[in-house]
């Protein structure tokens, strides 16, 4: 018998069982490990999650853009089960296995660029970032790295240095790598001085070019690392002129362009990789999150001559490209391809954006609705002229959504942006139900 509440029904949070577990969590786990809701999961299937108190939720978070093919996808589970009966781990440095090589081949084939590529498999997004910078430095013999405001690249030392959100990702953790230079990201909604989207993109590009005379010469710059759509920074797609401008700078100065697609990749934007929307080919592309269909894996995919510049033993690791994760990743890619999930991401994204645009007309709290495919940001402001971030309202709406059975989370340096990242397998009616709860919560707080 289901003891909990259905989606749309109000529930007390935390429920009794979650509250008990929360006590243990608070005793044994540091507060630095953040949570968006006082909920412990019992099980998940597709777009629906059930917590330990039997309450159901529609999931617009998907483990932070990780479960594009839904919770516990049957096909992914099936290959995982089979693999666990063969071998769990050998360490690819000790005994090789076919799935690592097949996944590398597949990723080389499905990433932009017709040139020969090689692939390093690792465990997390941050690890992919660290490796990409190492490889770019080794290949170019240069040290400098250019990163952007509002960027998020992970929590390890170098990745944290590249990350731009101070509280709480960097607060008190310095010093950071001194060879990182930071420039504005072409975040059109917050362009200064009334600049238009393209004007601001061109301004951002020019600032980098000027910096080669004032901060760090191009000849000392190894790489530019950029999220083709900002993730943690606010689900911001930049104007094409920005990404194209970065490519031009890299071409003119032999700098490696690294596209961090940890959050934007694997079909979420309606193309396999967000950078394809801009018709730009990076030298190195990073994937993680959605790659493993829920399992732990990341990848650094790059030009063969760049990847192969590292000496034997210079990259790798004990668990990188674990065999169970490799088969899950291969199956996840196959599911996206065989089920036209790219087209589905576009369709669902349009459906959600239409509805959210409609809400924008009704509620002045919404300042901006934006996104590519199913990677949608909704920025809340106190008023549309000052664009002062509506951070408290965002928190209230988020809590209200959770209480009515919609799991949703915010992002942005100012914590005032909802990021909508449902599984690409969600049904139309589940999406609609989720958006209904979002609108009800928005109305309640407006
Ligand atoms: C764009 C981007 N890069 C890197 C990372 C770090 O990934 P991980 O948390 O797996 O280390 C994230 C995580 O949110 C991300 O969004």
């Amino acid at each position: 018998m289901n003891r909990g509440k259905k989606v749309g029904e109000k529930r007390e949070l935390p429920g009794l069982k979650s509250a008990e577990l929360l006590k243990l969590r608070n005793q044994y786990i540091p507060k630095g490990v953040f949570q968006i809701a006082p909920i412990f999961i019992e099980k998940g299937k597709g777009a629906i999650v059930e917590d330990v108190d039997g309450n159901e939720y529609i999931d617009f978070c998907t483990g932070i853009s990780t479960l594009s093919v839904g919770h516990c996808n049957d096909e992914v589970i099936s290959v995982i089960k089979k693999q666990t009966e063969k071998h769990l781990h050998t360490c690819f440095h000790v005994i090789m296995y076919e799935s690592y090589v097949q996944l590398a081949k597949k990723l080389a084939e499905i990433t932009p660029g017709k040139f020969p590529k090689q692939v390093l498999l690792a465990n997390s997004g941050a690890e992919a970032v660290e490796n990409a910078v190492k490889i770019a430095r080794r290949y170019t013999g240069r040290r400098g790295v250019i990163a952007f405001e509002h960027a998020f690249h992970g929590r390890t030392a170098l990745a944290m240095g590249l990350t731009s959100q101070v509280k709480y990702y960097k607060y008190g953790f310095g010093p950071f790598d001194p060879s990182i230079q930071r420039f504005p990201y072409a975040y059109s909604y917050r362009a200064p001085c009334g600049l238009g989207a393209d004007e601001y993109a061109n301004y951002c590009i020019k600032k980098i070019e000027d910096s080669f005379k004032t901060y760090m010469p191009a000849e000392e710059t190894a790489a530019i690392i950029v999220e083709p759509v900002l993730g943690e920074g606010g689900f911001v797609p930049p104007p094409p002129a920005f990404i194209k401008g970065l490519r031009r700078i890299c071409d003119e100065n032999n700098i490696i362009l690294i596209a961090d697609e940890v959050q934007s990749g694997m079909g979420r934007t309606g193309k396999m990789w967000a950078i394809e929307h801009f018709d730009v080919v990076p030298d190195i592309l990073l994937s993680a999150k959605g790659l493993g269909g829920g399992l732990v894996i990341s990848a650094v995919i790059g030009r063969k001559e760049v990847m192969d510049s590292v000496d034997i033993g210079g990259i790798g690791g004990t668990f990188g490209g674990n065999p169970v994760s490799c088969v899950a990743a291969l199956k996840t890619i196959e599911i996206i391809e065989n089920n036209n999930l790219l087209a589905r991401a576009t369709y669902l994204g349009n459906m959600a954006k239409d509805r959210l645009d409609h809400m924008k007309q009704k509620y002045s709290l919404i300042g901006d609705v934006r996104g590519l495919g199913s990677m949608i940001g909704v920025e809340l402001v106190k008023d549309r002229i000052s664009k002062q971030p509506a951070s408290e309202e965002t928190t209230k709406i988020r809590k209200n959504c959770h209480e009515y059975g919609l799991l949703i989370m915010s992002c942005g340096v100012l914590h005032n942006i909802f990021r909508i990242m449902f599984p690409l397998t969600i049904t139309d009616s589940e999406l609609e139900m989720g958006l209904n709860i979002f609108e009800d919560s928005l109305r309640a707080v407006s």
Side-chain angles (χ1 to χ4, degrees):
M1 197 187 75
N2 191 335
R3 302 154 285 134
K5 303 288 181 189
K6 295 277 178 211
V7 169
E9 292 175 348
K10 185 154 197 249
R11 74 264 344 245
E12 292 291 324
L13 293 180
L16 286 177
K17 189 85 201 293
S18 278
E20 269 173 41
L21 293 170
L22 201 55
K23 277 192 209 147
L24 279 183
R25 181 257 171 265
N26 290 340
Q27 188 173 351
Y28 292 110
I29 298 170
K31 65 179 182 308
V33 182
F34 83 100
Q35 266 81 47
I36 66 157
I39 296 168
F40 285 80
I41 188 171
E42 176 67 26
K43 59 185 177 191
K45 193 75 194 162
I48 304 293
V49 164
E50 187 183 314
D51 74 13
V52 287
D53 293 290
N55 299 309
E56 285 183 355
Y57 305 81
I58 291 181
D59 191 356
F60 275 15
C61 299
T62 53
I64 318 191
S65 279
T66 298
L67 301 158
S68 299
V69 296
H71 284 270
C72 291
N73 184 292
D74 288 338
E75 292 179 73
V76 175
I77 298 288
S78 162
V79 293
I80 290 173
K81 278 187 178 160
K82 269 198 205 132
Q83 181 58 44
T84 58
E85 283 159 13
K86 290 206 266 178
H87 58 95
L88 287 181
H89 174 68
T90 65
C91 180
F92 194 67
H93 302 301
V94 179
I95 308 178
M96 294 182 284
Y97 36 92
E98 183 176 353
S99 54
Y100 190 118
V101 184
Q102 293 294 1
L103 180 58
K105 176 173 180 281
K106 186 71 187 171
L107 287 168
E109 284 165 2
I110 64 169
T111 43
K114 298 246 178 289
F115 41 78
K117 290 176 208 147
Q118 288 185 330
V119 178
L120 166 74
L121 299 177
N123 300 290
S124 66
E127 208 187 336
V129 167
E130 299 268 344
N131 276 291
V133 173
K134 273 170 68 173
I135 294 166
R137 282 179 169 163
R138 182 69 186 85
Y139 176 73
T140 59
R142 305 168 179 182
R143 296 285 159 264
V145 185
I146 288 176
F148 294 94
E149 288 169 5
H150 301 276
F152 184 86
H153 295 293
R155 289 184 169 84
T156 52
L158 176 59
M160 180 176 52
L162 295 165
T163 290
S164 170
Q165 303 183 39
V166 175
K167 278 201 176 166
Y168 291 94
Y169 297 136
K170 304 178 75 158
Y171 195 59
F173 295 140
F176 306 109
D177 190 316
S179 52
I180 296 168
Q181 305 285 341
R182 191 173 310 286
F183 294 91
Y185 190 93
Y187 184 165
S188 313
Y189 181 67
R190 294 208 172 262
C193 313
L195 290 180
D198 281 338
E199 277 175 309
Y200 187 42
N202 293 331
Y203 167 85
C204 295
I205 293 299
K206 183 154 186 312
K207 270 202 88 116
I208 298 174
E209 289 182 303
D210 290 348
S211 80
F212 292 145
K213 294 179 208 103
T214 50
Y215 297 164
M216 177 169 63
E219 306 83 65
E220 287 177 22
T221 306
I224 295 181
I225 182 163
V226 66
E227 292 163 85
V229 177
L230 280 181
E232 302 287 315
F235 275 36
V236 180
F242 180 63
I243 302 292
K244 282 181 191 296
L246 297 180
R247 180 68 270 177
R248 180 178 55 72
I249 292 175
C250 289
D251 286 341
E252 288 172 3
N253 298 286
N254 299 317
I255 295 169
I256 300 294
L257 181 63
I258 303 170
D260 182 346
E261 296 249 16
V262 166
Q263 190 147 178
S264 60
M266 289 301 289
R268 178 140 295 276
T269 66
K271 293 192 186 279
M272 194 59 110
W273 312 104
I275 200 157
E276 294 175 81
H277 287 279
F278 309 109
D279 220 5
V280 163
V281 175
D283 302 299
I284 294 179
L285 186 148
L286 310 180
S287 179
K289 290 195 186 285
L291 178 60
L295 287 204
V296 179
I297 190 163
S298 66
V300 181
I301 306 126
R303 286 181 182 274
K304 184 175 190 300
E305 69 272 20
V306 178
M307 300 293 290
D308 230 4
S309 64
V310 177
D311 307 284
I312 292 174
I315 49 178
T318 306
F319 282 109
N322 166 272
V324 186
S325 299
C326 283
V327 295
L330 277 163
K331 185 50 81 179
T332 301
I333 296 169
E334 192 186 309
I335 294 168
I336 293 174
E337 288 179 340
N338 290 353
N339 295 280
N340 289 327
L341 289 189
L342 302 185
R344 182 87 186 140
T346 306
Y347 166 85
L348 292 166
N350 286 340
M351 186 174 151
K353 265 182 278 176
D354 280 354
R355 178 78 192 275
L356 291 162
D357 276 333
H358 213 73
M359 291 183 211
K360 186 178 163 193
Q361 286 167 22
K362 291 203 261 178
Y363 310 102
S364 60
L365 200 51
I366 298 187
D368 195 29
V369 175
R370 58 186 174 238
L372 293 174
S374 288
M375 187 171 183
I376 303 168
V378 184
E379 179 150 2
L380 302 193
V381 290
K382 291 200 187 288
D383 74 84
R384 288 179 182 169
I385 307 294
S386 72
K387 295 185 182 173
Q388 198 190 332
S391 311
E392 303 80 27
E393 291 84 345
T394 306
T395 305
K396 279 188 199 155
I397 293 169
R398 180 166 49 99
K399 272 191 75 187
N400 198 81
C401 286
H402 296 168
E403 283 168 3
Y404 282 90
L406 172 66
L407 288 178
I408 193 166
M409 65 191 290
S410 56
C411 64
V413 175
L414 307 167
H415 312 291
N416 66 319
I417 301 158
F418 281 106
R419 49 174 147 175
I420 300 197
M421 39 191 174
F422 41 76
L424 306 180
T425 52
I426 195 170
T427 63
D428 289 19
S429 62
E430 287 167 340
L431 175 57
E432 205 180 316
M433 246 194 298
L435 291 168
N436 288 344
I437 296 172
F438 183 66
E439 178 159 8
D440 290 345
S441 305
L442 194 62
R443 189 183 308 111
V445 173
S446 276

